[in-house]
Amino acid sequence: MTENIYLKLLLIFAPLSLVSFGGGQSVVADINRHVIEQNWLTQSQFVNLFAISRAAPGPGALLTTLIGWDVAGIPGAVVATFALFAPSSAAALLAFHYWSRVGKSRVRHCLERSLTPIAAGMIFAGGLSVLRSSPHTFSILFIAIVSTVAMIMRPRSSPLLVLVAAGVFQYCYAMLGFSV
C-alpha cells in the first residue's frame, strides 16, 4: 500500500494550524517533532530549513512550505501551506465575526488575557526546540541569551537589529579563529 504524502501533510499541519496561537512560530516545536518522527528530515535539515524560513522575507510559516517542498515537491509545498493557513484563517474569520459582535465584553477580555500566556509559552517552546537542535557552541548560546534579554528589555525594538548584531558577532567570532 502506497503512502499518501499529501494526506499526511494535511493531517499533520491542519491541526497545528488550529493551535498556533501567536502565529506559526508557536508550533515550531511540534512541527520539528512530527517531521523527525515521519523521517522526512534529519534534525540538521530541519534547523537549516528553519534558518532559511527566518531569513527569507514573508510569513514565518514559510517553514511549513519549505518542508512540504522538501518532502513532496511543489505540490507538497502547496498542500502544506494550505493545511497550515486554511483552518486558522477560517477560525480567525469566525472569531472576528464573534469579536465584533461582543464588543468589550468580559468574555472577550478574559479570553484575550488567558490566550496571551499560552501563545507566549508556545513561542518559547518553539525557540527552545530550535536552540536544542543547534550546535551548542559558546557563541550560539551567548547570542541566544543576549538576544532574549535584549528583546525582553526593549520589546518594541526591531528584531532585525538583534539579527544584524548577532550576525556581526558571529562573523567577528569566526574571523578571530574561534570555532563556530
Side-chain angles (χ1 to χ4, degrees):
M1 180 169 142
T2 34
E3 159 186 295
N4 187 337
I5 192 73
Y6 306 114
L7 181 59
K8 278 193 169 188
L9 286 167
L10 274 169
L11 292 175
I12 287 173
F13 292 122
L16 291 176
S17 172
L18 295 172
V19 296
S20 61
F21 296 106
Q25 185 65 27
S26 64
V27 291
V28 168
D30 286 319
I31 291 172
N32 184 12
R33 182 177 56 82
H34 283 293
V35 299
I36 300 303
E37 284 176 0
Q38 293 294 322
N39 293 316
W40 288 343
L41 301 173
T42 65
Q43 193 63 49
S44 176
Q45 290 170 315
F46 178 83
V47 170
N48 289 340
L49 290 181
F50 178 80
I52 291 168
S53 73
R54 295 294 112 196
L62 176 63
L63 173 63
T64 305
T65 306
L66 293 173
I67 291 168
W69 184 16
D70 197 65
V71 300
I74 292 174
V78 171
V79 169
T81 303
F82 176 81
L84 192 70
F85 283 104
S88 59
S89 296
L93 283 172
L94 290 171
F96 175 76
H97 177 70
Y98 174 75
W99 244 227
S100 62
R101 284 192 9 215
V102 296
K104 299 213 183 260
S105 75
R106 289 190 70 189
V107 171
R108 178 178 174 172
H109 180 70
C110 286
L111 278 172
E112 287 174 349
R113 287 185 51 93
S114 63
L115 290 177
T116 300
I118 292 170
M122 292 175 77
I123 291 168
F124 185 70
L128 280 178
S129 173
V130 171
L131 183 60
R132 263 195 348 246
S133 39
S134 324
H136 289 50
T137 63
F138 165 77
S139 63
I140 296 295
L141 294 174
F142 179 77
I143 288 171
I145 291 167
V146 170
S147 300
T148 302
V149 169
M151 293 309 295
I152 288 171
M153 300 295 287
R154 300 192 48 100
R156 300 231 187 269
S157 63
S158 172
L160 290 176
L161 295 174
V162 174
L163 285 172
V164 169
V168 169
F169 173 80
Q170 190 70 6
Y171 176 77
C172 292
Y173 192 77
M175 292 306 292
L176 290 172
F178 297 106
S179 73
V180 184

